[in-house]
Amino acid sequence: FTAPTARYRAEVVLVALGLLVFVTVYLGLVAGCVYLAWSIWQMPIHGRGSVYLLVAGTAVLAAIVVFLVKGLFRTQRRDPSQHVEVTRENEPVLFAFLDRLVADTGAPYPGKVFLSWDVNAAVFYDTSFLSLFFPVRKNLLLGLGLVNHLNLSELKAVLAHELGHFSQRSMKLGSYVYVSNQILDDVIWGRDSFDDLLEGLKRSDPRLAIVGWLIAAVVWVLRKALELIFRLVNVLHRSLMRQMEFAADRVAISVAGSRAMARGLYMAELADACFAQTLQDLTHAGDHGLYTTDLFHHQARALDEVRRLARKPSWGVVPADDARLFEADAKTKPSMWATHPPSSEREDACRTQPVACPVDERSA
């Protein structure tokens, strides 16, 4: 039931091929520049003109190599200032719940568990060039703004969904895509001391300016070529990520039931709307010198106002029968850059794979 589908496997292959194209072009450009620089130094030198061409050619090729490889040494880290790490010692009930879920799903245990104040549930890990070769433990992030609106069955479904991502080996491809993006983003759109040096070179002595303009022309062509590869890899990866969401949903369905997964999505949208209303209300209150020590108390109380503004008086009331929770419309169609399928499509997938499970209505 939770095995990868044929489409999932096909999209993994496509992403791997896209990455292969990137690696081939990227390493080919670096190796080609190094080889040309070596070849130049093998040429016979006759007079000052030859020396100038040799030095200028080497400078151009060296600058291009620096331009290409500078993105390798950047590390992408999530800002921890909005996260609170919790441990088995200070949150034993949560970790006992996770123990049971990990056993039920067969997923690897999170490296660390963090809480945040917003409406969120996610898997995250730091990426760097070294993470391509050494395993990186994935961390679990759970937003209290989401927990505040879920019952225990819905929380089980949400956490099982995230644990489903922990067990997806295709997430390793995500590491490669993130590092590729890190390199390409720096190469294509990054502007730093390298570009400042290049601009200064273009405005210097005419003999040096020629070198600067030559480097700038090559850099412009490389940026455009690599941008095409960037878009190819990301379109393929985002399509795969949608399949990964469906696969993680099936893990959640297998342990929490079809209805709990759909209800979790439904309540997450309501939680997000209540959270946005709460932040707006508390901002206005702050303008009048009124503050709170309990954000989540106000989030729960925002429900009536959210229902009134949305003209949905029964929003958040799950019907007892098997009625749909989401209706498909033109606004829910995913774009080519969307990483998550629309909730209506995910509910459709839940309904085509019915798994019954008792509902625990206790507050998460």
Side-chain angles (χ1 to χ4, degrees):
F1 180 76
T2 58
T5 63
R7 181 172 178 180
Y8 185 119
R9 294 175 185 276
E11 302 224 3
V12 167
V13 171
L14 287 174
V15 172
L17 289 175
L19 285 169
L20 181 62
V21 170
F22 162 69
V23 170
T24 302
V25 172
Y26 182 75
L27 294 182
L29 287 170
V30 174
C33 289
V34 173
Y35 176 76
L36 284 175
W38 178 82
S39 298
I40 288 174
W41 283 92
Q42 305 306 307
M43 296 172 59
I45 301 174
H46 301 290
R48 291 185 177 180
S50 297
V51 172
Y52 173 76
L53 290 175
L54 187 149
V55 173
T58 303
V60 169
L61 293 168
I64 294 171
V65 170
V66 171
F67 166 73
L68 288 171
V69 302
K70 60 191 175 100
L72 283 174
F73 303 100
R74 295 199 175 183
T75 300
Q76 187 182 51
R77 296 186 182 276
R78 186 173 287 239
D79 179 13
S81 61
Q82 303 294 326
H83 300 166
V84 176
E85 183 181 354
V86 290
T87 63
R88 191 176 296 276
E89 287 68 33
N90 57 30
E91 289 293 342
V93 177
L94 174 61
F95 275 81
F97 196 70
L98 281 174
D99 290 343
R100 177 65 181 272
L101 267 180
V102 167
D104 286 349
T105 59
Y109 212 90
K112 294 181 180 179
V113 179
F114 293 88
L115 301 182
S116 66
W117 54 277
D118 55 355
V119 179
N120 198 3
V123 178
F124 74 96
Y125 50 91
D126 297 332
T127 59
S128 67
F129 182 67
L130 293 178
S131 66
L132 299 182
F133 308 100
F134 299 100
V136 178
R137 299 222 37 201
K138 304 181 185 77
N139 302 317
L140 175 65
L141 176 66
L142 185 59
L144 295 182
L146 175 61
V147 178
N148 198 29
H149 276 261
L150 301 180
N151 65 29
L152 209 53
S153 289
E154 292 156 0
L155 176 66
K156 182 180 181 181
V158 167
L159 287 178
H161 172 94
E162 298 306 327
L163 290 175
H165 286 312
F166 275 73
S167 59
Q168 288 172 337
R169 286 181 293 178
S170 56
M171 285 201 82
K172 183 62 178 175
L173 280 177
S175 297
Y176 287 93
V177 172
Y178 290 140
V179 173
S180 300
N181 282 351
Q182 187 174 296
I183 297 169
L184 291 172
D185 183 73
D186 187 71
V187 167
I188 298 167
W189 291 287
R191 298 296 184 269
D192 51 26
S193 55
F194 174 87
D195 297 275
D196 295 337
L197 179 64
L198 195 56
E199 285 300 316
L201 196 60
K202 287 158 60 176
R203 293 191 294 268
S204 62
D205 180 271
R207 289 169 296 182
L208 294 176
I210 293 173
V211 177
W213 282 102
L214 183 58
I215 295 173
V218 175
V219 164
W220 184 87
V221 172
L222 288 177
R223 278 185 166 137
K224 292 301 179 182
L226 291 172
E227 184 178 350
L228 292 175
I229 298 176
F230 172 85
R231 295 187 181 278
L232 167 68
V233 171
N234 278 277
V235 167
L236 293 174
H237 185 239
R238 287 175 185 270
S239 181
L240 170 61
M241 288 177 74
R242 290 196 289 271
Q243 294 305 311
M244 290 170 67
E245 292 301 318
F246 285 125
D249 282 350
R250 288 195 296 275
V251 174
I253 292 169
S254 71
V255 297
S258 311
R259 194 66 170 161
M261 186 63 245
R263 283 177 54 152
L265 293 170
Y266 180 65
M267 297 306 294
E269 291 193 3
L270 177 61
D272 197 45
C274 289
F275 198 81
Q277 183 65 41
T278 301
L279 294 183
Q280 180 179 321
D281 292 344
L282 293 179
T283 298
H284 291 316
D287 292 339
H288 297 279
L290 300 173
Y291 304 96
T292 183
T293 58
D294 190 348
L295 172 69
F296 306 108
H297 167 77
H298 297 278
Q299 184 193 18
R301 291 181 62 88
L303 179 58
D304 290 339
E305 179 69 2
V306 165
R307 285 172 171 169
R308 184 186 69 80
L309 293 173
R311 297 180 181 178
K312 297 179 179 179
S314 61
W315 194 3
V317 178
V318 179
D321 57 12
D322 197 31
R324 289 187 61 90
L325 300 176
F326 300 98
E327 294 299 329
D329 56 51
K331 296 179 182 178
T332 61
K333 291 182 179 178
S335 73
M336 64 185 294
W337 293 101
T339 58
H340 285 59
S343 295
S344 59
E345 288 187 19
R346 294 174 70 178
E347 184 184 15
D348 287 340
C350 292
R351 295 170 71 88
T352 57
Q353 300 164 328
V355 175
C357 188
V359 177
D360 192 329
E361 295 287 357
R362 287 178 293 170
S363 168

